[in-house]
Amino acid sequence: MSQITKRSHLTVHINGETLNVSDKDAFLPLAQFLRNSLSKVGTKVVCAEGDCGACSVVASHYRNGAWTPLRTINSCIAPVFLFDLACIVTVEGLKDSEGLSEVQNKMREFHGGQCGFCTPGMVCSMAQLAEDCSAAKTEVTEKKARNYLTGNLCRCTGYEPILAAATHLELAKWKTMKERYLTAELTSQFKTLQTDGIEIVFENKKLTLPTDLASAVSLRQASPTSRIVAGATDIGVLVNKAKTSLQEILVLNKVSELHKIENTSAGVFIGAQVSLTDVEEFVRTSHPELKRLLHIFASPQIKNQGTLLGNVLNGSPIGDSIPALMALDAEIQFASKNGTRKVALKNYYKGYKVFDKTDDEIAVGILIPTLKGEYLNRFFKVSLRKDLDISAVTFAAVLKVQDGTLSEARIAMGGVGPCVIRLPQVEQHLVGKAFNENTFADAGVLAASLITPISDLRASREYRQLVTENLFKKCFHELSVENSVAEAVCP
Ligand SMILES: Cc1cc2nc3c(=O)[nH]c(=O)nc-3n(C[C@H](O)[C@H](O)[C@H](O)COP(=O)(O)OP(=O)(O)OC[C@H]3O[C@@H](n4cnc5c(N)ncnc54)[C@H](O)[C@@H]3O)c2cc1C
Ligand code: FES
Ligand code: FES
């Protein structure tokens, strides 16, 4: 960072006001900063772990000379230091001098707010719904409303009046947040600040935000024990639950190289700072099955803030994206002072949270090869409910079938041992066999005998073994249905 202008504060725009934030405030969760430091108490904190959506606010980042889309995030787990050159709209910022916004009016008209705790978060999610539908010039349907509200829990009377409010939104009356807040004046103000690196020291805490990869690598080498924070949807929960505290923090969201997402001749390259939402949209045609899996990953708020690489690097045995990426033969790319290094994901996990990674390495991105020809793929997540739940077991299969015979098989599973694993013995068993139910039933029995699941809150060991057998059969049945096979073959 030596050649780069350094600021010792963050610059954040909240509800139309630009603030310089430093010292203690820079390290607080955003919700706490809004409520305690700015007295914007409309934003509520209920679960403090990203689960309920009460703390939802809308945010856009000024990055690489442009604004990212305005999207909801959970402010209870997102530290303020992730929001340099961001525009944040809280529930207080939705009304204007003429009165309440269209979403607030409809929530009032349809009696959508009951306890008052969840309502501000619901309203913010609905504001994003109105914003997106206005931009796309599309109607608000109940399906869309349900999707946008997936991350907002109502614990009292249910969703009927809330959905009624959403589906009766009159978009002509919606004054877009983009026009109201992402003004030319703010844009030119932030443009002059975008190349600033940031360093903030407060008591025993130190925060650094470099603006290019070379500086990030040098900083990492100088402080290999600093904590890299991407979206903080894993780290923020640990901090709030006092399971970790952040002293030296390295934030890479100002490094433009890490926001790259592109199709290459070898596959889709996804930079380390790309959000799960952007990945879900980008892989729609190249990897439709991955897109389907990401649709049931967490909630919009978590996917807007969290990154795909964060999921991979956090390395939970039940990280939802990992089996799919492993079966797709994805490869992580690291950078350090020694240059760059590629690691096949199937070799990255060595045990529970033990990785093939040195302390000075920074993940740059992940390459996901594109499937061609007769490849079929199925990725499953088994959880107690469909949305916003932690998996008990995850399953991924990438298969090649030629003349009714399996000629290639890549199988990966999560929730069945200390880390996500490939199952080479099962893969060998499948290759050369007929593509039929017996083959998959036998493979399931073999897989169940090889895995080492534990019993925990989510499922017993026996359940995980049984579900493993059943997932192989489900995989066969889904792929063998004619239409399903046609859908599953990637272009
Ligand atoms: C309510 C809720 C629901 C969730 N639902 C799901 C779910 O359905 N499925 C699921 O799998 N997960 C889920 N998660 C977990 C989490 O959202 C994901 O794991 C997410 O992808 C983490 O990304 P992040 O950017 O927030 O990571 P962070 O929390 O910022 O970081 C995660 C880890 O990656 C490391 N890291 C990040 N970037 C780099 C880099 N460039 N180089 C080196 N190390 C790096 C960090 O140091 C840290 O160890 C959920 C979390 C919450 C709070
Ligand atoms: S308070 Fe529940 S998600 Fe933030
Ligand atoms: S509106 Fe708060 S619990 Fe339903």
Side-chain angles (χ1 to χ4, degrees):
M1 287 230 297
S2 52
Q3 330 250 302
I4 300 167
T5 318
K6 235 191 265 179
R7 264 188 279 136
S8 54
H9 61 261
L10 308 158
T11 301
V12 192
H13 192 77
I14 302 179
N15 294 345
E17 195 186 347
T18 302
L19 306 169
N20 288 337
V21 185
S22 58
D23 298 337
K24 182 175 171 237
D25 282 345
F27 297 87
L28 293 176
L30 178 59
Q32 210 173 315
F33 173 63
L34 292 170
R35 291 177 57 81
N36 299 354
S37 306
L38 302 182
S39 300
K40 294 190 189 304
V41 292
T43 300
K44 305 292 186 242
V45 177
V46 181
C47 69
E49 51 183 80
D51 260 318
C52 75
C55 63
S56 302
V57 298
V58 187
S60 167
H61 294 260
Y62 185 73
R63 196 170 280 155
N64 301 331
W67 290 98
T68 61
L70 283 146
R71 287 175 176 158
T72 47
I73 53 130
N74 290 317
S75 63
C76 65
I77 51 172
V80 176
F81 58 68
L82 295 182
F83 296 95
D84 184 55
L85 304 190
C87 169
I88 292 163
V89 184
T90 72
V91 68
E92 291 96 342
L94 294 179
K95 65 176 182 341
D96 64 12
S97 56
E98 289 169 25
L100 294 178
S101 67
E102 170 62 2
V103 289
Q104 289 161 308
N105 276 326
K106 283 295 182 292
M107 278 290 271
R108 194 176 53 172
E109 204 179 309
F110 286 86
H111 307 287
Q114 287 108 31
C115 77
F117 267 89
C118 340
T119 313
M122 302 263 180
V123 164
C124 286
S125 291
M126 235 183 256
Q128 196 202 326
L129 172 69
E131 188 84 4
D132 289 354
C133 289
S134 294
K137 296 190 173 27
T138 53
E139 289 297 303
V140 176
T141 59
E142 186 175 324
K143 189 174 173 202
K144 269 188 216 156
R146 283 178 183 273
N147 279 339
Y148 276 75
L149 290 167
T150 303
N152 293 88
L153 287 187
C154 170
R155 303 168 177 88
C156 59
T157 57
Y159 289 88
E160 282 304 311
I162 296 162
L163 289 171
T167 50
H168 285 85
L169 284 174
E170 292 172 74
L171 295 178
K173 293 185 183 168
W174 175 247
K175 297 174 189 163
T176 70
M177 294 180 281
K178 187 175 175 195
E179 278 170 28
R180 289 179 60 198
Y181 289 115
L182 307 184
T183 59
E185 193 190 339
L186 181 65
T187 307
S188 69
Q189 185 194 349
F190 278 10
K191 198 172 180 179
T192 61
L193 300 174
Q194 68 175 340
T195 51
D196 290 359
I198 292 175
E199 188 177 286
I200 300 176
V201 179
F202 175 72
E203 294 180 345
N204 61 346
K205 290 176 184 288
K206 183 176 173 189
L207 166 70
T208 323
L209 286 92
T211 52
D212 65 90
L213 189 57
S215 307
V217 164
S218 302
L219 286 162
R220 187 68 183 161
Q221 196 195 22
S223 283
T225 53
S226 60
R227 198 72 192 259
I228 298 179
V229 182
T233 60
D234 276 314
I235 293 179
V237 175
L238 293 177
V239 170
N240 284 4
K241 299 294 158 195
K243 292 193 174 154
T244 192
S245 80
L246 302 177
Q247 251 82 50
E248 261 194 280
I249 304 158
L250 183 58
V251 173
L252 305 175
N253 67 6
K254 293 170 78 71
V255 177
S256 51
E257 294 100 310
L258 304 184
H259 289 278
K260 212 187 306 176
I261 178 161
E262 60 187 6
N263 283 308
T264 72
S265 55
V268 177
F269 177 81
I270 297 166
Q273 284 291 143
V274 177
S275 73
L276 287 152
T277 299
D278 285 338
V279 176
E280 185 181 340
E281 282 172 16
F282 195 85
V283 300
R284 182 181 294 269
T285 47
S286 62
H287 298 86
E289 182 66 1
L290 182 59
K291 191 240 168 302
R292 199 186 58 79
L293 179 76
L294 290 176
H295 184 67
I296 50 166
F297 187 113
S299 62
Q301 287 92 326
I302 294 291
K303 286 188 285 191
N304 293 338
Q305 181 69 23
T307 60
L308 182 71
L309 259 291
N311 194 241
V312 169
L313 298 164
N314 185 54
S316 162
I318 37 137
D320 281 343
S321 73
I322 303 171
L325 296 173
M326 220 185 239
L328 286 165
D329 266 347
E331 193 179 71
I332 315 181
Q333 299 185 3
F334 289 105
S336 72
K337 267 290 177 204
N338 299 325
T340 54
R341 187 172 74 96
K342 295 176 182 175
V343 183
L345 198 57
K346 67 177 178 190
N347 301 325
Y348 183 64
Y349 304 100
K350 302 292 180 194
Y352 181 71
K353 302 256 175 179
V354 183
F355 311 121
D356 176 6
K357 177 180 176 309
T358 56
D359 283 344
D360 62 342
E361 284 180 318
I362 285 176
V364 177
I366 191 160
L367 181 76
I368 312 176
T370 310
L371 291 177
K372 294 192 190 95
E374 304 93 329
Y375 283 96
L376 309 172
N377 59 133
R378 272 297 180 269
F379 308 145
F380 301 132
K381 162 175 179 166
V382 178
S383 51
L384 289 176
R385 57 177 186 198
K386 182 174 142 257
D387 290 307
L388 197 43
D389 203 359
I390 297 172
S391 304
V393 175
T394 47
F395 170 97
V398 172
L399 307 164
K400 192 171 179 183
V401 185
Q402 284 174 313
D403 302 326
T405 301
L406 285 150
S407 60
E408 220 180 302
R410 304 200 291 264
I411 308 287
M413 292 193 70
V416 295
C419 57
V420 177
I421 46 167
R422 280 275 290 266
L423 288 163
Q425 283 166 272
V426 180
E427 293 170 359
Q428 281 157 24
H429 167 88
L430 286 167
V431 171
K433 301 266 172 20
F435 180 75
N436 63 31
E437 184 167 358
N438 283 344
T439 300
F440 281 79
D442 290 348
V445 172
L446 177 60
S449 73
L450 294 169
I451 58 175
T452 54
I454 54 166
S455 295
D456 64 14
L457 280 178
R458 281 178 286 278
S460 66
R461 175 186 161 82
E462 292 73 25
Y463 173 82
R464 287 182 158 112
Q465 282 170 323
L466 181 61
V467 99
T468 295
E469 290 185 27
N470 290 342
L471 286 173
F472 277 84
K473 291 184 203 157
K474 179 178 162 80
C475 177
F476 167 74
H477 282 292
E478 284 200 11
L479 293 177
S480 61
V481 174
E482 202 184 318
N483 286 340
S484 177
V485 169
E487 263 175 36
V489 177
C490 286

